[in-house]
Amino acid sequence: MKKILTIQDISCYGQCSITVALPILSSYGIETAILPSAILSTHTCGFKDFTVLDLTSEMPKIINHWINEGIKFDAIYTGYIGDVRQFDYVLECKDKLLVDGGLFIVDPAMADNGKLYPALNNDIVEGMKKICSQADYIIPNITEACLLTDTLYQDKQDKTFINNLLHKLIECGYKNIILTGIISDDKIGAIYYDGTNETYVLKELQPTSYHGTGDIFSSVIVANILNNVDIKTNLDDATDFIVDCIKNTTNDKDHFYGVKFEEILKKRMNQ
């Protein structure tokens, strides 16, 4: 059984970050440990007056305990980071807690639709650039890829824009890019690019979008990477999961804050 450490926040309510990563990774047969960067009462989109407990001061204590215990992981997977000091702790985990040949995978969860998430600033962008440059895989959406490459975001992205963005990511030194949120005609999907090979997967564009789907997508992608699934099958699996989750949630108008992924996960586990 593979062991993975995921480093991101705990949003206590809202179906995102660790609260989706932990059950999804576990359901794919991967032992999952967590290093929370912060605890939020809810996520930051669609809620007012949410609370935030920063855990920066606790992170080195946890890391040092694991080092002293000789704990190692086959992979480290990072998501939302809310404090610039935490990037050094992420890299310390990479250097001291990964097994030889272990994978470092970064979802630079910091922005969408052309804007940074609330409470984040350019220092976070620079920190994300730093850890992405050392990652074996990165999983940005288009907004995040623009920030990582200092590219001006466009509301409409044609094939030329996407290709230029992918090449810029490679030129910046990033490896094994899985770019999400690509829209073409009435379809949406993702592309894998390693500087030579491209693999596209496009699915039916859904009329509604939800917070947390990026975290779900990345968690499925990471799980399949650790399970040695080929990239085309991996992208198909992750995009199908998201489409099914959105379809399962669309008719529930009270469920605005995330997707009802649990029912989809149950169906998949029973197949």
Side-chain angles (χ1 to χ4, degrees):
M1 181 182 290
K2 298 286 183 67
K3 291 184 180 180
I4 190 169
L5 168 64
T6 185
I7 307 172
Q8 48 188 311
D9 72 284
I10 297 175
S11 289
C12 298
Y13 187 82
Q15 295 171 303
C16 67
S17 57
I18 283 177
T19 60
V20 300
L22 182 56
I24 289 173
L25 290 164
S26 298
S27 75
Y28 278 72
I30 298 163
E31 181 180 339
T32 306
I34 64 171
L35 179 56
S37 58
I39 299 176
L40 290 78
S41 54
T42 66
H43 60 65
T44 60
C45 296
F47 294 101
K48 298 179 180 178
D49 303 321
F50 50 84
T51 67
V52 181
L53 175 63
D54 182 84
L55 295 177
T56 303
S57 62
E58 289 299 312
M59 293 177 73
K61 301 174 189 177
I62 296 169
I63 294 166
N64 287 334
H65 183 208
W66 288 343
I67 292 170
N68 292 335
E69 291 291 331
I71 294 170
K72 295 277 188 176
F73 300 97
D74 298 290
I76 292 173
Y77 155 42
T78 72
Y80 182 93
I81 302 293
D83 189 303
V84 293
R85 296 171 293 173
Q86 295 176 358
F87 290 108
D88 286 337
Y89 297 140
V90 168
L91 293 179
E92 183 179 8
C93 288
K94 173 187 175 292
D95 292 339
K96 297 181 179 180
L97 296 177
L98 272 179
V99 301
D100 291 341
L103 294 176
F104 180 44
I105 304 171
V106 176
D107 174 1
M110 58 179 170
D112 203 1
N113 298 315
K115 297 180 181 179
L116 281 170
Y117 292 146
L120 299 186
N121 55 36
N122 193 60
D123 291 338
I124 294 294
V125 177
E126 294 305 310
M128 284 295 186
K129 289 179 181 178
K130 182 178 179 180
I131 64 172
C132 283
S133 69
Q134 297 193 39
D136 296 294
Y137 290 83
I138 64 170
I139 316 172
N141 61 33
I142 291 173
T143 302
E144 291 155 354
C146 287
L147 290 169
L148 291 172
T149 57
D150 299 316
T151 300
L152 183 65
Y153 176 82
Q154 295 179 191
D155 289 326
K156 293 184 179 180
Q157 306 102 20
D158 58 17
K159 187 174 182 180
T160 299
F161 178 85
I162 296 298
N163 287 339
N164 288 338
L165 190 56
L166 289 168
H167 285 105
K168 282 185 179 182
L169 288 163
I170 292 294
E171 289 170 2
C172 288
Y174 307 123
K175 298 181 292 186
N176 292 311
I177 300 147
I178 298 171
L179 183 63
T180 69
I182 295 172
I183 297 176
S184 178
D185 297 324
D186 293 327
K187 296 186 179 298
I188 188 169
I191 180 173
Y192 167 81
Y193 185 59
D194 64 2
T196 302
N197 303 300
E198 289 187 6
T199 303
Y200 272 99
V201 167
L202 294 172
K203 304 290 181 177
E204 177 187 357
L205 180 63
Q206 300 302 303
T208 309
S209 61
Y210 291 92
H211 188 79
T213 51
D215 299 334
I216 294 171
F217 180 92
S218 293
S219 297
V220 175
I221 289 288
V222 171
N224 281 326
I225 289 171
L226 265 66
N227 286 334
N228 299 313
V229 175
D230 69 90
I231 190 62
K232 176 63 166 60
T233 303
N234 191 351
L235 291 175
D236 270 323
D237 187 36
T239 49
D240 283 341
F241 197 136
I242 296 301
V243 169
D244 289 346
C245 288
I246 292 174
K247 287 181 176 179
N248 190 49
T249 311
T250 300
N251 292 328
D252 188 344
K253 301 305 179 184
D254 293 327
H255 206 98
F256 65 91
Y257 47 85
V259 290
K260 297 192 286 187
F261 76 97
E262 296 90 348
E263 293 171 330
I264 303 304
L265 192 60
K266 181 180 179 181
K267 289 179 182 178
R268 284 171 158 241
M269 292 179 69
N270 288 336
Q271 288 177 352

